[in-house]
Amino acid sequence: MKVAIVGAGAIGSLYAAHLARVTDVVVLTRRDEHARSLREEGLRVSGRHDFSAKLDATADAAAVDDVDLCIVATKATHLEQAVSALEGRLPSAAVMTVQNGLGAEEIVRRHGKWPLISAVTFMSGNRHGDAHVEYILDTETWLGPYEETPFETVAQVADLITASGLKAQAFPDLRPAQWSKLIFNATVNSVSALTHLPHDPHFADVDGPAALGHLVHELVEEGKRVAAARGIALHDDPWEMNVLATKRGSAHVPSMLEDIESGRPTEIDLITGALVREAERAGIVVPLHEALYALVKAKEASNTVSLGRGGAG
Amino acid sequence: MRVCVVGCGAVGSLFAAHLAQLEDVEVWAYDLQEDHVRAINEHGLRLSGAGDLVGRLTATSDPSEIPPCDFGIVAVKSMHTGSAVAAVARSFDDGAVCSVQNGIGNEEIVAQHVRFVIRGTTFPAGHVIAPGHVGWDTKGDTWIGPFEPSGTPLEQVEQLAGLVTRSGMNTIALPDARGAQWTKAIFNAATNPVGALTGLAHGEICDFEPTRRLVSGLADEAKAVSTALGIELDHDPEEMIDHAARVAHDHKASMTQDVLARRQTEIDFLNGAIVERGEEVGVPTPLNRAIWALVKALEASWDATMLR
């Protein structure tokens, strides 16, 4: 099974390096020099695992030969651009999306008829340059069929990822897991982006009237009401996911906080934005998520215009 | 007549320098900033900007130097009210102490330490330029009234209003000054933390529809609380919000400045106080509670950063 990985951020790099140990991998990057250093230096993994992988890489979508599996691991904000370059290519590939939030599959579908695999990943990493990624949280990737994709295809991909040394699990219906993660991310990412707190024990603290845990809990409750109205039985309770994650010891820095602190656009539209749109469709009011959406959008705007003046914090 | 300004920062200095213009008033200032105290004692307290004047007064960081006073004017940041007033309380055995601070809940703290308390709300604003020198940015009125539980006689309130007005800062004595106080507090609670969390100026918050809607949501909750408390607002906060967007479009609220400088904010006395008063009268305030938690967590991140 040949694999193409689109986007070599932390998540894309972790898939690429691990899969390159068990199959042929080509990485499609945005920048030429990124592809060149991957080709010349290989990709080093440190942290939970320690090895170097040899793989092929290019910044030119036309140079990617047909594959069996294409994992699209760009940020949600770059998805449209990345997938439009694949239009009309990779006729034998199943395409797997691992973006945060909801709606990545619809964007990919607009550009081709590939069988699609929905995925959410809970693993995390940290890039140290183009050819080195640190594997931090060795948690699972969950996969499920999108539309008519046969479950066997999904199961094969899960097996391949597992064989490569990462953790993966195939589900006949991913939506319960996808929604658990959506509610978790909509809550934790936006609160972190606004408070500059990593996902630390403050998020589970319910001691005192202004404790952050109360707000986190209320945000989760709003999200659960939307899921219920959309007929989705959650796989995990997002509040319990939150409490568990804050007990891990080393506090994870959510990508939305990294984006804010680097003055980059965030994925708020695909995460909290998606939840707010689903709420509207279901006729459920989510005033707290709307408030956080407004605040993060405004902070993003002030970040971009006022970088020279220094952001808040 | 002797008056002591407690906390001689920007707003305290406006009162101190003006009152020092009056022949029949002896002005003291209590402040912990020692270079500021020294500069005031050596060169006087200078205001420039909306008006230029120099006030001659005695400043000190040592409360034991302050003689008995007829009036106190408290202008410290709200989180320092308790410690500052406790330190100087001895000078007000017979005098009355007026808070001109932001937010809700300062008078209750002052009343833990002194007998007669006056509720106040002030609109003039300034900023410290250098020790002994304060920029006077905006003129405006001050409203004062008895703090109800302390039973301060209205005559005493009127006497203070007369002094301050005669010194050049228009001050209105009211039997019930809660309306003025809540009007300003609602304005501040609905707008300042939105600026502090996003880094946007007041006008930018109002130009962006989602944040403007959040501002109204915060104000609506607070108005419901004030109504349940039987307080009659003296202006519609919505009109003040729109007015400020026109006349002070690029102004960044003091809370935004606090956050940029990583100084503790007055959030407990704004959204926090609205949440707590709301609970007392059974009015839900979920948005104010959310904002309160976010700003407290932002403050907590300044310690957490050290560990990252």
Side-chain angles (χ1 to χ4, degrees):
Chain A
M1 198 185 252
K2 285 179 145 184
V3 181
I5 310 282
V6 180
I11 296 296
S13 297
L14 287 171
Y15 285 125
H18 284 85
L19 287 167
R21 301 198 294 186
V22 293
T23 185
D24 287 340
V25 169
V26 56
V27 181
L28 181 60
T29 63
R30 274 197 304 156
R31 291 175 294 116
D32 258 327
E33 63 269 29
H34 190 175
R36 195 177 320 118
S37 54
L38 288 175
R39 277 198 311 269
E40 288 169 5
E41 299 167 41
L43 181 51
R44 184 180 158 217
V45 175
S46 63
R48 298 268 176 175
H49 292 161
D50 200 345
F51 65 92
S52 282
K54 286 205 174 302
L55 38 75
D56 194 13
T58 176
D60 177 11
V64 179
D65 292 332
D66 198 13
V67 293
D68 305 293
L69 171 67
C70 173
I71 299 179
V72 184
T74 64
K75 292 218 128 182
T77 42
H78 295 137
L79 180 62
E80 179 86 50
Q81 194 192 351
V83 180
S84 59
L86 299 178
E87 212 167 305
R89 304 185 188 282
L90 313 183
S92 318
V95 176
M96 169 175 142
T97 57
V98 290
Q99 281 68 28
N100 282 324
L102 287 183
E105 299 91 337
E106 282 93 332
I107 293 174
V108 177
R109 177 55 79 232
R110 286 204 294 270
H111 296 280
K113 291 190 173 135
W114 309 285
L116 298 184
I117 297 172
S118 299
V120 296
T121 185
F122 296 90
M123 68 178 181
S124 79
N126 209 346
R127 263 166 43 92
H128 301 284
D130 281 347
H132 178 193
V133 63
E134 182 188 353
Y135 186 22
I136 297 175
L137 290 181
D138 61 344
T139 21
E140 291 189 328
T141 298
W142 292 345
L143 301 76
Y146 183 75
E147 292 172 345
E148 306 303 317
T149 307
F151 180 70
E152 297 70 52
T153 310
V154 178
Q156 277 169 17
V157 171
D159 288 346
L160 180 72
I161 294 174
T162 306
S164 82
L166 296 171
K167 293 177 179 164
Q169 201 179 336
F171 292 84
D173 181 0
L174 189 67
R175 288 174 310 163
Q178 219 169 9
W179 271 77
S180 290
K181 189 175 182 197
L182 173 71
I183 295 168
F184 173 88
N185 275 343
T187 301
V188 171
N189 273 279
S190 50
V191 168
S192 171
L194 290 169
T195 63
H196 292 257
L197 281 175
H199 191 203
D200 70 5
H202 286 100
F203 284 71
D205 176 14
V206 290
D207 191 14
L212 191 59
H214 295 300
L215 173 60
V216 170
H217 193 263
E218 287 307 306
L219 286 162
V220 166
E221 286 301 310
E222 278 189 1
K224 284 162 77 170
R225 285 196 284 275
V226 180
R230 301 291 283 159
I232 289 155
L234 295 177
H235 183 274
D236 289 279
D237 184 277
W239 170 254
E240 285 165 19
M241 292 165 70
N242 165 63
V243 173
L244 195 67
T246 61
K247 285 183 180 159
R248 262 197 297 254
S250 71
H252 174 61
V253 179
S255 60
M256 200 177 285
L257 176 56
E258 285 182 342
D259 289 339
I260 284 285
E261 291 190 338
S262 323
R264 289 190 297 258
T266 71
E267 297 180 311
I268 190 77
D269 277 310
L270 276 131
I271 302 177
T272 302
L275 187 63
V276 170
R277 287 190 293 276
E278 292 287 335
E280 264 167 32
R281 259 180 241 171
I284 302 283
V285 292
V286 287
L288 295 177
H289 280 287
E290 280 182 23
L292 265 67
Y293 178 78
L295 289 168
V296 173
K297 289 296 277 184
K299 183 161 188 160
E300 236 180 23
S302 87
N303 235 357
T304 353
V305 294
S306 69
L307 265 186
R309 293 185 267 144
Chain B
M1 188 73 64
R2 198 181 287 131
V3 180
C4 179
V5 171
V6 180
C8 203
V11 168
S13 291
L14 299 182
F15 283 92
H18 276 90
L19 286 165
Q21 307 300 309
L22 299 178
E23 294 281 338
D24 54 337
V25 176
E26 175 188 332
V27 179
W28 283 72
Y30 172 65
D31 198 279
L32 295 182
Q33 207 71 44
E34 284 182 1
D35 49 352
H36 188 46
V37 163
R38 204 176 311 118
I40 293 172
N41 289 332
E42 283 173 14
H43 308 291
L45 176 56
R46 181 177 161 213
L47 302 185
S48 62
D52 288 271
L53 51 103
V54 176
R56 294 284 164 187
L57 53 114
T58 314
T60 179
S61 303
D62 177 3
S64 71
E65 289 181 0
I66 304 169
C69 294
D70 301 285
F71 290 105
I73 295 176
V74 182
V76 294
K77 290 251 181 198
S78 299
M79 52 278 197
H80 304 309
T81 305
S83 57
V85 175
V88 299
R90 200 190 42 81
S91 298
F92 299 101
D93 285 342
D94 302 311
V97 175
C98 177
S99 163
V100 292
Q101 300 158 275
N102 273 333
I104 293 158
N106 285 295
E107 291 81 4
E108 284 79 355
I109 297 173
V110 176
Q112 290 168 8
H113 305 284
V114 300
R115 166 84 176 81
F116 293 114
V117 179
I118 298 173
R119 184 190 294 283
T121 301
T122 193
F123 281 89
H127 67 283
V128 177
I129 293 174
H133 183 191
V134 162
W136 182 9
D137 299 330
T138 357
K139 298 189 177 188
D141 293 340
T142 300
W143 284 269
I144 62 177
F147 175 60
E148 305 73 19
S150 76
T152 312
L154 186 59
E155 298 73 50
Q156 217 171 349
V157 177
E158 286 169 340
Q159 196 183 8
L160 178 62
L163 279 186
V164 180
T165 300
R166 193 151 55 82
S167 80
M169 293 175 73
N170 194 43
T171 300
I172 300 121
L174 300 167
D176 182 356
R178 292 181 306 163
Q181 187 171 49
W182 272 74
T183 302
K184 188 180 182 196
I186 292 173
F187 172 84
N188 284 334
T191 59
N192 293 7
V194 177
L197 288 167
T198 63
L200 290 183
H202 178 79
E204 295 171 319
I205 291 166
C206 295
D207 293 342
F208 185 48
E209 197 272 332
T211 39
R212 182 64 185 82
R213 189 146 33 95
L214 172 59
V215 166
S216 286
L218 291 163
D220 287 347
E221 288 180 3
K223 283 195 271 189
V225 174
S226 67
T227 303
L229 286 165
I231 295 167
E232 202 173 317
L233 300 181
D234 66 353
H235 287 88
D236 180 0
E238 288 289 336
E239 281 172 22
M240 294 172 67
I241 290 161
D242 289 334
H243 177 73
R246 287 190 298 272
V247 303
H249 188 275
D250 296 333
H251 175 71
K252 293 204 172 184
S254 64
M255 194 182 289
T256 306
Q257 315 288 349
D258 288 340
V259 165
L260 286 171
R262 299 191 163 197
R263 280 191 301 260
Q264 198 191 341
T265 70
E266 294 183 298
I267 196 79
D268 288 344
F269 292 82
L270 292 169
N271 307 74
I274 288 163
V275 170
E276 285 170 346
R277 299 296 188 281
E279 250 171 25
E280 287 164 22
V281 292
V283 174
T285 53
L287 290 173
N288 279 279
R289 189 183 286 277
I291 291 292
W292 186 23
L294 287 172
V295 174
K296 295 302 275 183
L298 176 60
E299 291 175 358
S301 78
W302 303 329
D303 304 323
T305 310
M306 317 275 289
L307 305 171
R308 274 165 67 183

